[in-house]
Amino acid sequence: MEIRNFCIIAHIDHGKSTLADRMIEMTGTLPKREMKEQLLDMMDLERERGITIKLTPVRMLWKRRRTHSTGSEEPVQLNLIDTPGHTDFRYEVSRSLAACEGAILLVDASQGIQAQTLAVLTMATSHNLTIIPVLNKIDLPAADPERVEEEVVKLLGCPREDILRISAKEGRGVEEVLEAVVERVPRPRQMENGEREMQNASDTRALIFDAVMDTYRGAVAYVRVMEGTFRKGQKVMLLGTKAEAEILDLGHFAPKYVSDSELTEGEIGYIVTGEKDVRRVRTGDTVASTKDLKPLPGYKEVQPMVFAGLYPSEADDYPQLREALEKLALNDASLKFEPERNAALGNGFRCGFLGLLHMDIVQERLEREHNCDLVITAPSVLYEVQLGVRRPAEVVRSSILKKDEPDTARISNPADFPDPSYIKEVREPWVRLEIVCRAQDIGAAMTLVGDRRGIYLSLEYLDAERALLHFEVPLQAIVLDFFDLLKSATSGYGSMSYEPAGYRAGDLVKLQILLLGESADALSTIVHRSEAHHVGAIVCKKLKEVLPKQQFQVPIQASIGAKIVARETLPAFRKDVTGYLYGGDVTRKRKLLEKQKKGKKRMKQMGKVTLTQEAFLAVLKR
Ligand code: GDP
Ligand code: MG
């Protein structure tokens, strides 16, 4: 059977999931009664927020209506992988791309090319995928297909006739898209002669591009078969983790699991091995018929951009949190974590995320899918701190020293920051930032980046009304709330994306928070010296608002080293919460106490002061 593997890439909200719905409908992959909107967004969280977080594969059989070049009446097997649009989930996108030969580049005809359209397109072309440009939402009165077509031609250098116009919502033009996939996307690439490992007919290899833990079946690996044929009952090896397994079940996605008797070269499907140990099934690993075969080239490890401490509200829940993180990491290969101990917070994990939305989603998934109750500390980027020659050995833990530069520590936790007298230089991560906005918002965007220590590089026009701006900026300055600011500065029209641009020295200091005169390390942050006073004042004020009142007054101070830069005082608390409930029903009183007890969760005792989750987040947004 003819096979085509493709994905849909686009800026967030340009209609990927809607187009996938239409394709599933038109190919009759699901009966009408089982269709619902955004079918491939299977997680509750995705449906509630209206965003795609996970890649989702689906196989469709397309019966072609016209005469065609393949010269056969047989339906074509189309394997589609729906992907997220937000940059925080770009690792999901890159893995989907590696499993496909073609990509539909979807552009909202009322919006035009956006920053993340450019980012995902760069990724797709670097994987040598065939790009099919498609303008979506032509049903909208605000759609301007002529102008957007111009942008696409300029971007791709393709002829105008190659660009399709559709309304994914109404289904208009979607058939032509399916036809274009069959006509333009190449057949699954064969392994090059040099890469081919097959010595005898039974040799098989597949790349794991995703995995999920199933309560009943153990780990389920999502695979792209690269050579040979896998069958039920076959013994296989996971080459990276050296785990042996038997294929208990295999099949394809429709989009639910559909069992088949075999999976052959070029196909996308799933393999159930019954493996219960989550650490033995890894994204990027190779499933092979014997251990003598070479592993397929996997994926580049992703580097987390933002780090935060995750702690269980109750110390006893630590083992449960570890298990939850392990399971989640199987399904979210960009999540990194390692154990961490904090004097005030106890045992927890230092976790690395691709961005704040990613962090937010991880926290929610841990709470919903794994029933964890968490306290999460203020996020930070990863700094490189070069230490002076004269320093006591215990100034930093040896485990955070760089292997190739033993006098430099990699620090993401402000609590680990050594005393300034031992520091020779602090380096912070910079990023190349791209902003797409209307011509009239260029000034606002430039001011915004300038205020964040950014450097303007260049400007190009996508068309008469819209510009693409290039900057360099410290990651720390944009990672927390920059996107919201950009949106409001550009009346919602601006979009952004960024990628790492290496480390640079900066005048960075640790802003400490003192409660009752004692350092609350879990609340400290790293800031640029020039903004320390300003940030210190805001944080103290915010903490005063969100910290629960204690039986006594609590001075809240911000300091750099020994120097106090800001101060507030939290007044003492007076009332008994149940005081106003005189007489009446005792259950009311109990209910209120229960409620108060519940509210106690997500709290941590810091010496004499109780910290709430809000306190940790107060140091976050400025
Ligand atoms: P994704 O983020 O790229 O997956 O985008 P979605 O498929 O979730 O679509 C985002 C929004 O655009 C949803 O509210 C869709 O209903 C809407 N949408 C998608 N395609 C069309 C279209 O062709 N016309 C109109 N008017 N709206 C569309
Ligand atoms: Mg989507």
Side-chain angles (χ1 to χ4, degrees):
M1 186 186 288
E2 288 281 336
I3 301 174
R4 298 291 184 274
N5 297 320
F6 70 105
C7 54
I8 309 177
I9 54 175
H11 189 77
I12 194 160
D13 273 351
H14 282 203
K16 289 179 296 298
S17 302
T18 308
L19 176 57
D21 283 354
R22 285 302 88 71
M23 290 179 165
I24 292 169
E25 241 170 51
M26 284 187 178
T27 52
T29 304
L30 270 189
K32 257 235 149 68
R33 68 194 139 80
E34 282 182 39
M35 272 310 293
K36 51 185 176 186
E37 269 181 40
Q38 316 271 322
L39 185 89
L40 296 183
D41 287 344
M42 293 185 198
M43 272 165 26
D44 288 345
L45 199 55
E46 292 182 310
R47 309 188 70 86
E48 273 167 38
R49 298 207 183 192
I51 54 168
T52 307
I53 295 165
K54 284 296 301 171
L55 63 86
T56 315
V58 59
R59 180 185 295 181
M60 305 173 288
L61 291 181
W62 174 236
K63 289 212 188 59
R64 308 186 66 194
R65 312 240 158 100
R66 299 193 221 127
T67 46
H68 31 73
S69 55
T70 56
S72 126
E73 295 299 320
E74 226 191 2
V76 183
Q77 180 193 121
L78 299 176
N79 290 302
L80 157 66
I81 306 182
D82 185 26
T83 59
H86 195 282
T87 16
D88 276 19
F89 307 112
R90 61 192 169 276
Y91 193 52
E92 296 287 316
V93 181
S94 78
R95 299 201 320 275
S96 313
L97 295 173
C100 297
E101 282 77 25
I104 293 172
L105 179 72
L106 200 62
V107 183
D108 184 330
S110 68
Q111 306 261 329
I113 286 164
Q114 297 293 327
Q116 282 159 38
T117 320
L118 299 169
V120 284
L121 178 63
T122 311
M123 269 162 80
T125 40
S126 76
H127 280 87
N128 288 324
L129 298 199
T130 301
I131 308 291
I132 302 176
V134 176
L135 305 188
N136 188 26
K137 308 199 189 181
I138 52 164
D139 59 288
L140 286 179
D144 189 352
E146 298 299 322
R147 174 179 71 79
V148 178
E149 205 167 80
E150 198 79 49
E151 290 183 358
V152 173
V153 167
K154 213 167 144 187
L155 181 67
L156 295 179
C158 65
R160 258 173 192 274
E161 313 80 79
D162 281 5
I163 305 172
L164 302 169
R165 294 184 183 189
I166 68 164
S167 162
K169 194 169 183 176
E170 295 174 354
R172 233 195 300 166
V174 176
E175 206 177 300
E176 283 70 23
V177 178
L178 289 170
E179 282 298 323
V181 168
V182 181
E183 289 291 336
R184 298 190 209 170
V185 175
R187 299 190 168 91
R189 58 177 170 269
Q190 302 270 313
M191 305 294 293
E192 312 264 319
N193 276 338
E195 296 168 345
R196 225 170 227 292
E197 278 285 308
M198 277 177 90
Q199 273 132 34
N200 49 57
S202 64
D203 284 351
T204 46
R205 288 191 299 168
L207 179 66
I208 303 181
F209 65 89
D210 202 3
V212 53
M213 199 65 191
D214 186 294
T215 325
Y216 306 106
R217 320 219 273 170
V220 181
Y222 291 17
V223 298
R224 158 75 195 259
V225 184
M226 291 303 189
E227 55 181 338
T229 299
F230 286 98
R231 293 190 177 79
K232 227 178 262 191
Q234 188 178 342
K235 293 260 191 302
V236 288
M237 282 289 294
L238 301 174
L239 295 182
T241 58
K242 308 229 175 330
E244 273 180 64
E246 184 186 327
I247 299 182
L248 301 180
D249 184 23
L250 53 67
H252 67 273
F253 305 93
K256 293 206 184 76
Y257 300 130
V258 176
S259 204
D260 293 318
S261 54
E262 55 179 47
L263 264 184
T264 67
E265 193 159 311
E267 289 187 326
I268 288 173
Y270 70 91
I271 289 181
V272 179
T273 60
E275 181 62 64
K276 291 283 195 263
D277 184 348
V278 294
R279 284 162 300 189
R280 300 182 74 171
V281 181
R282 268 211 315 256
T283 298
D285 201 354
T286 302
V287 190
S289 50
T290 74
K291 66 176 186 324
D292 307 321
L293 296 174
K294 276 208 217 86
L296 296 159
Y299 302 104
K300 247 197 291 171
E301 279 274 310
V302 271
Q303 294 306 320
M305 309 280 257
V306 193
F307 298 79
L310 254 63
Y311 291 84
S313 295
E314 309 279 347
D316 291 351
D317 293 342
Y318 177 77
Q320 190 204 339
L321 178 57
R322 170 192 295 279
E323 201 187 313
L325 278 167
E326 281 173 351
K327 278 192 187 156
L328 189 58
L330 175 73
N331 190 230
D332 179 353
S334 56
L335 171 65
K336 300 276 180 282
F337 63 96
E338 56 185 45
E340 170 180 83
R341 228 198 107 66
N342 179 294
L345 303 173
N347 284 320
F349 295 92
R350 193 84 198 152
C351 299
F353 310 96
L354 290 182
L356 274 207
L357 178 62
H358 184 213
M359 173 173 125
D360 198 25
I361 296 293
V362 166
Q363 182 182 2
E364 267 209 68
R365 290 187 72 186
L366 285 171
E367 293 184 343
R368 285 182 185 212
E369 296 167 27
H370 302 278
N371 228 346
C372 298
D373 192 41
L374 300 170
V375 166
I376 187 159
T377 65
S380 158
V381 300
L382 188 67
Y383 297 95
E384 291 192 353
V385 178
Q386 194 185 354
L387 302 160
V389 243
R390 292 164 59 81
R391 61 171 202 265
E394 69 281 2
V395 129
V396 298
R397 282 176 285 125
S398 57
S399 60
I400 57 176
L401 290 174
K402 269 179 98 171
K403 300 229 160 44
D404 47 341
E405 258 179 274
D407 64 340
T408 301
R410 292 158 67 83
I411 296 180
S412 71
N413 187 347
D416 288 335
F417 241 69
D419 187 88
S421 55
Y422 302 127
I423 296 178
K424 197 163 154 204
E425 185 178 81
V426 181
R427 295 186 288 265
E428 63 178 327
W430 278 61
V431 292
R432 264 181 294 278
L433 169 70
E434 296 188 336
I435 292 180
V436 171
C437 63
R438 298 180 303 180
Q440 72 241 54
D441 296 327
I442 292 174
M446 287 208 184
T447 311
L448 203 56
V449 182
D451 286 349
R452 302 270 163 149
R453 301 191 279 133
I455 302 166
Y456 162 76
L457 295 181
S458 63
L459 161 79
E460 45 195 291
Y461 281 90
L462 295 171
D463 60 40
E465 289 147 42
R466 287 168 4 102
L468 166 62
L469 294 141
H470 299 271
F471 300 94
E472 283 177 343
V473 63
L475 175 61
Q476 182 223 36
I478 58 156
V479 80
L480 298 181
D481 52 1
F482 186 81
F483 183 60
D484 295 341
L485 295 175
L486 178 69
K487 278 281 170 204
S488 55
T490 58
S491 321
Y493 285 101
S495 64
M496 63 180 265
S497 75
Y498 57 83
E499 59 181 68
Y503 276 77
R504 294 181 200 173
D507 191 4
L508 300 160
V509 292
K510 172 163 154 182
L511 183 72
Q512 257 176 319
I513 300 297
L514 310 173
L515 300 174
L516 277 175
E518 272 176 58
S519 156
D521 241 352
L523 293 179
S524 41
T525 48
I526 308 302
V527 297
H528 195 258
R529 194 183 296 277
S530 65
E531 53 184 21
H533 277 82
H534 175 64
V535 174
I538 297 178
V539 171
C540 287
K541 202 152 161 248
K542 275 248 181 99
L543 283 174
K544 182 182 170 184
E545 285 166 21
V546 300
L547 279 180
K549 289 183 182 157
Q550 318 282 327
Q551 309 279 10
F552 38 83
Q553 269 195 1
V554 179
I556 305 168
Q557 297 164 304
S559 75
I560 300 169
K563 193 171 138 219
I564 304 291
V565 296
R567 178 191 167 106
E568 295 279 342
T569 305
L570 181 69
F573 136 101
R574 270 178 251 131
K575 260 192 213 147
D576 174 359
V577 277
T578 60
Y580 69 94
L581 290 173
Y582 54 90
D585 185 0
V586 67
T587 57
R588 259 179 83 201
K589 188 159 171 171
R590 200 176 301 133
K591 259 194 200 141
L592 205 65
L593 286 171
E594 277 294 315
K595 203 165 130 203
Q596 202 194 13
K597 202 161 110 205
K598 255 212 173 131
K600 269 234 170 57
K601 292 255 184 132
R602 289 173 160 263
M603 284 185 178
K604 284 285 175 184
Q605 203 62 31
M606 263 283 332
K608 285 192 200 155
V609 182
T610 309
L611 292 185
T612 53
Q613 178 67 71
E614 288 72 36
F616 292 103
L617 298 182
V619 293
L620 201 161
K621 298 227 162 138
R622 290 161 197 167

